[in-house]
Amino acid sequence: MTAPLLKVQNISKSFTLSGGLFSAKQTLRAVNQVSFTLNKNQTLALVGESGCGKSTLGKMLALLTSQSSGTIEIEGQKTTGNLKPLRQKVQMVFQDPFSSLNPRMKVGNIIGEPLLVQGKPASTEQVKELAQSVGLNSGDLSRYPHQFSGGQRQRIAIARALSLKPSFLIADEPTSALDVSIQSQILNLMKELQSKHQLAYLFISHDLAVVSHMADHIAVMYLGEIVEIGPKKDVLQKPAHPYTQSLLAAVPKLGKGKRQPQTSLIGEPPSPLAPPLGCAFHSRCPLAEERCKREAPALKPYGPDRQVACYLKSGGAP
């Protein structure tokens, strides 16, 4: 059996917030005990409400910030010690293409910069090939980021991410800052590049329509934890966790009538500074029982290649 390209085991990330003059320091738990694997040429979509820890998890996997606990392995190598060789294997495409590009650098220098950082010469031909692979031409290399549209800037960011020939790419809401008419072009480009380079993607998004187009598997996060993970078709067509059901119920559907009240989200997510006891979702869950308030359910198998953290699904098979 082939080893996974990415293996994440029980990683957590907490931040210590300094208190005021008369208050103590507080700990914010952004990601809590997250585990999953990702194979070559596979896309795992990470979904959930704003503030659930998606971007923090993405930055840990991109080696931009360290985890507080747990382990990350990329192609069998743990992310400890000298990270420079590993940073060639994983790259990140950010949400806002304008703020992620240096406005004082020409596009050709932006695309070639990762090569120089790794001590590799960036030839003009290499940079031209990278630009052409994302739909840019050689004349664009002497221009600056402000001279391009949002979609073109995201193409520049993708070309830069590909310059080191990574095996794993993290895309954090890569189309949410773009016009709807441009989004599909960028998504289709990413699919083409994935097929060409056998890339693995962690695709972070709140847009379930985009997720449906891009993902092979879906992981649903709530308050820093994965509450459901499995094949796209299973998660979208037969959601198991009440939170996943609520997210899908909130998506407008033409001709489907009113939303079902039993799956509507209640209230706001709890503060990560004071997470509730038991299941993190119990205060908003219409199906919560007494035990949900006392003890958090573990993420357990629920049918083939699927896991759910919910006492109502503890029987195993769907």
Side-chain angles (χ1 to χ4, degrees):
M1 185 176 179
T2 305
L5 184 146
L6 174 71
K7 186 176 181 181
V8 178
Q9 289 186 298
N10 301 319
I11 65 168
S12 298
K13 181 66 176 181
S14 297
F15 298 94
T16 300
L17 307 182
S18 58
L21 184 61
F22 301 105
S23 58
K25 292 182 179 180
Q26 293 180 292
T27 299
L28 187 151
R29 186 185 65 183
V31 176
N32 185 41
Q33 297 290 304
V34 165
S35 300
F36 63 86
T37 60
L38 182 63
N39 296 320
K40 186 178 181 180
N41 200 31
Q42 186 182 68
T43 298
L44 173 66
L46 196 60
V47 302
E49 293 171 284
S50 296
C52 70
K54 303 188 300 296
S55 293
T56 300
L57 177 57
K59 289 176 182 178
M60 284 192 286
L61 299 180
L63 310 181
L64 298 178
T65 185
S66 60
Q67 66 269 29
S68 301
S69 61
T71 61
I72 300 169
E73 292 183 23
I74 300 172
E75 295 185 343
Q77 299 180 58
K78 289 188 177 180
T79 56
T80 55
N82 180 16
L83 296 179
K84 190 173 182 179
L86 279 176
R87 288 198 170 104
Q88 298 181 59
K89 300 178 184 294
V90 53
Q91 292 291 302
M92 190 165 186
V93 177
F94 296 91
Q95 179 177 2
D96 184 354
F98 190 71
S99 63
S100 68
L101 302 176
N102 188 334
R104 297 184 179 184
M105 290 179 68
K106 292 181 179 180
V107 167
N109 294 331
I110 290 173
I111 293 174
E113 185 180 25
L115 290 163
L116 297 177
V117 170
Q118 289 287 336
K120 301 178 180 181
S123 71
T124 303
E125 284 304 313
Q126 276 182 293
V127 173
K128 282 183 179 180
E129 287 178 9
L130 285 164
Q132 290 169 357
S133 72
V134 298
L136 301 171
N137 58 59
S138 57
D140 293 327
L141 300 177
S142 59
R143 300 166 66 192
Y144 291 90
H146 73 270
Q147 296 175 287
F148 294 86
S149 67
Q152 289 173 315
R153 287 195 288 262
Q154 198 60 293
R155 289 173 186 269
I156 296 167
I158 293 171
R160 177 180 61 184
L162 293 177
S163 63
L164 291 172
K165 299 181 179 180
S167 51
F168 174 40
L169 197 65
I170 299 163
D172 188 358
E173 301 272 12
T175 60
S176 63
L178 306 179
D179 292 341
V180 174
S181 60
I182 304 299
Q183 289 183 7
S184 61
Q185 297 177 22
I186 297 300
L187 295 175
N188 289 334
L189 171 65
M190 293 185 69
K191 295 279 279 187
E192 292 170 9
L193 292 170
Q194 181 177 39
S195 178
K196 180 179 179 180
H197 300 289
Q198 298 292 293
L199 291 165
Y201 285 154
L202 179 73
F203 196 91
I204 301 171
S205 181
H206 66 277
D207 189 328
L208 292 175
V210 169
V211 165
S212 178
H213 177 68
M214 292 295 296
D216 300 306
H217 285 65
I218 296 175
V220 182
M221 283 192 78
Y222 184 79
L223 208 66
E225 301 175 358
I226 289 181
V227 297
E228 181 169 358
I229 185 169
K232 171 182 67 176
K233 183 177 179 181
D234 293 343
V235 174
L236 293 182
Q237 295 185 3
K238 294 182 179 180
H241 196 280
Y243 178 59
T244 312
Q245 295 169 6
S246 300
L247 287 179
L248 291 169
V251 178
K253 298 178 180 67
L254 293 175
K256 296 295 183 180
K258 295 182 178 179
R259 298 173 188 164
Q260 296 298 316
Q262 66 269 24
T263 56
S264 297
L265 283 171
I266 303 168
E268 298 294 326
S271 169
L273 287 170
L277 295 175
C279 173
F281 187 60
H282 83 258
S283 62
R284 305 174 73 194
C285 180
L287 305 175
E289 302 174 349
E290 279 302 313
R291 61 178 172 173
C292 303
K293 303 175 184 179
R294 298 191 303 268
E295 186 176 350
L299 194 66
K300 293 185 176 180
Y302 182 68
D305 198 23
R306 193 176 182 187
Q307 294 176 292
V308 180
C310 180
Y311 287 123
L312 296 175
K313 306 297 179 181
S314 59

